[in-house]
Amino acid sequence: MRSFEDRVLLFLLAVITLALGWILLPFYGALLWGVVGAIVFAPLHRRVSQLMNGRDGGAAAIVVLLVILIVILPLSLIGTALAQQAAGVYGQVQGGQLDVTQYFQKMLDALPAWIVDLLNRSGLGSFAGLKDRLSALLLRGSQVIAGQALNIGQGTFEFFVSLFLMLYLLFFLLRDEETLSRRIADAIPLRDEQRDALLSKFIIVIRATVKGNLVVALAQGALGGLIFWFLGITAPLLWAVVMAFMSLLPAVGAGIVWFPVALYLLATGSIWRGVILMAYGALVIGLVDNLLRPILVGQDTKMPDYVVLLSTLGGIEVFGLNGFIIGPVIAAMFIAIWDMFTTVRSENRAVADVASSE
């Protein structure tokens, strides 16, 4: 009878958990970033709480205020300026002032004849046809990006609701950190060492993704936007945001943006601008990742680059922008749980071998 009651309890637990998840699904982004913010800013909250003689509520309020001042307000200002630049680019594309095909034609005209012949002999077919297809693809992509930036205002109400929920959740998660951590740990049906290792891995990956990947992406985007502005390249803030997004992807990085632009400048006669951008990209933007990431992330969180790349791309494809955190976390949990499983199997085999030998 006890077994039947336990099954009913597990069934009710699963049903009510799925029901709650279904209810909260429209706000999963706000909930995700509330949890991420609590994990990232928990050490700061503990320090502030110590300075305030253990007043966790007041410390949580101060940390939330700091998040608003140093994170949300700057991002809001950048978002407003980005929307303005995207609107300008969108207008130029629609009005024909920004002709991507013309840029490719200039590149094609500047290339030596032997390179064009080599491309044609490589099985790429007509380079002019390839140029037209790439031009059409870039044109559609630029229109989509600019159009989405123009439509940001349509979701203003939903954005502020999600922002309020995120900050509201962040406050309570910081204030009740110890109680919630203890209850979550008690509810996980694993061995103590497995549970502690899994929770530790989860927290480490979250902090590494935000502190490492996000900070490095912001730094590379800012440096790239600065050199684009200095060289007089159109819409430097828009390009800075694109470089920041590309920096989230290992083996791709911001170079996928600045390197073709540098080649275009060299091919079209802007030699010094091209040389400056090439040198700056390699020596400044390219070195940021190697200098900052080991400091911010550390060595114990390192996953293979191909795992990070695939999980980040897959996460963004499935979950949108939130996927750059969700993807690597799922990959890290996958690796950690399989490591635990293989460890348990090895222990069971060792016990079975000892029993059989006796």
Side-chain angles (χ1 to χ4, degrees):
M1 186 64 180
R2 186 58 179 267
S3 177
F4 173 75
E5 292 172 348
D6 291 341
R7 290 197 199 98
V8 171
L9 179 60
L10 289 175
F11 174 76
L12 291 175
L13 178 65
V15 169
I16 200 65
T17 301
L18 291 174
L20 180 62
W22 181 41
I23 291 173
L24 298 179
L25 185 61
F27 305 105
Y28 93 93
L31 299 177
L32 171 68
W33 286 102
V35 172
V36 169
I39 292 173
V40 171
F41 292 103
L44 175 62
H45 172 259
R46 296 190 200 106
R47 292 178 187 173
V48 176
S49 180
Q50 289 175 357
L51 294 175
M52 298 180 66
N53 297 321
R55 284 184 262 180
D56 291 334
I62 291 176
V63 172
V64 170
L65 182 61
L66 288 175
V67 170
I68 294 173
L69 293 177
I70 66 176
V71 178
I72 294 176
L73 284 181
L75 288 179
S76 299
L77 295 175
I78 292 174
T80 301
L82 174 63
Q84 293 175 350
Q85 287 200 0
V89 172
Y90 183 74
Q92 290 179 352
V93 171
Q94 291 292 89
Q97 299 171 346
L98 184 60
D99 188 353
V100 182
T101 304
Q102 183 180 5
Y103 289 123
F104 271 100
Q105 188 61 52
K106 289 182 179 179
M107 286 282 291
L108 181 61
D109 294 339
L111 289 175
W114 66 271
I115 294 182
V116 177
D117 293 337
L118 180 62
L119 289 169
N120 288 329
R121 267 191 253 113
S122 310
L124 295 175
S126 172
F127 185 65
L130 178 62
K131 170 185 69 68
D132 291 338
R133 288 195 296 272
L134 289 174
S135 298
L137 178 62
L138 288 175
L139 181 61
R140 287 196 301 271
S142 63
Q143 289 174 335
V144 169
I145 292 172
Q148 290 296 322
L150 290 173
N151 292 331
I152 287 176
Q154 297 179 0
T156 301
F157 178 74
E158 291 81 0
F159 170 77
F160 280 108
V161 169
S162 297
L163 180 61
F164 171 77
L165 289 175
M166 187 270 288
L167 294 173
Y168 185 78
L169 179 64
L170 175 61
F171 171 80
F172 285 104
L173 290 177
L174 289 173
R175 191 194 68 176
D176 304 329
E177 176 194 356
E178 291 186 9
T179 303
L180 290 173
S181 299
R182 187 166 54 252
R183 296 192 67 175
I184 291 172
D186 292 340
I188 297 177
L190 293 173
R191 299 177 187 173
D192 290 346
E193 63 275 11
Q194 293 174 339
R195 177 199 64 202
D196 295 341
L198 202 60
L199 289 175
S200 176
K201 187 69 173 178
F202 177 79
I203 292 173
I204 286 174
V205 172
I206 290 287
R207 287 179 179 163
T209 302
V210 175
K211 287 168 56 181
N213 297 344
L214 192 56
V215 171
V216 169
L218 291 174
Q220 289 189 320
L223 291 171
L226 180 64
I227 193 64
F228 274 41
W229 170 79
F230 178 78
L231 295 176
I233 297 171
T234 305
L237 183 59
L238 183 60
W239 287 116
V241 172
V242 175
M243 280 186 276
F245 277 116
M246 292 298 102
S247 297
L248 296 173
L249 304 177
V252 178
I256 199 173
V257 177
W258 62 259
F259 187 71
V261 174
L263 290 180
Y264 170 79
L265 293 174
L266 292 173
T268 54
S270 299
I271 303 299
W272 282 111
R273 293 170 72 201
V275 170
I276 290 173
L277 181 56
M278 191 77 72
Y280 184 90
L283 300 177
V284 179
I285 300 177
L287 288 180
V288 166
D289 184 82
N290 296 328
L291 293 176
L292 287 183
R293 197 179 299 275
I295 298 174
L296 296 173
V297 179
Q299 300 300 321
D300 54 344
T301 62
K302 189 68 174 175
M303 286 191 295
D305 283 344
Y306 63 89
V307 174
V308 178
L309 177 62
L310 291 174
S311 61
T312 302
L313 288 175
I316 292 174
E317 178 68 23
V318 175
F319 300 103
L321 181 59
N322 298 323
F324 91 88
I325 284 183
I326 299 176
V329 167
I330 291 176
M333 293 298 98
F334 174 85
I335 294 173
I337 290 174
W338 272 99
D339 285 343
M340 292 179 186
F341 178 72
T342 54
T343 300
V344 170
R345 287 194 65 187
S346 299
E347 292 174 352
N348 291 339
R349 286 176 179 173
V351 171
D353 292 341
V354 171
S356 62
S357 63
E358 294 176 352

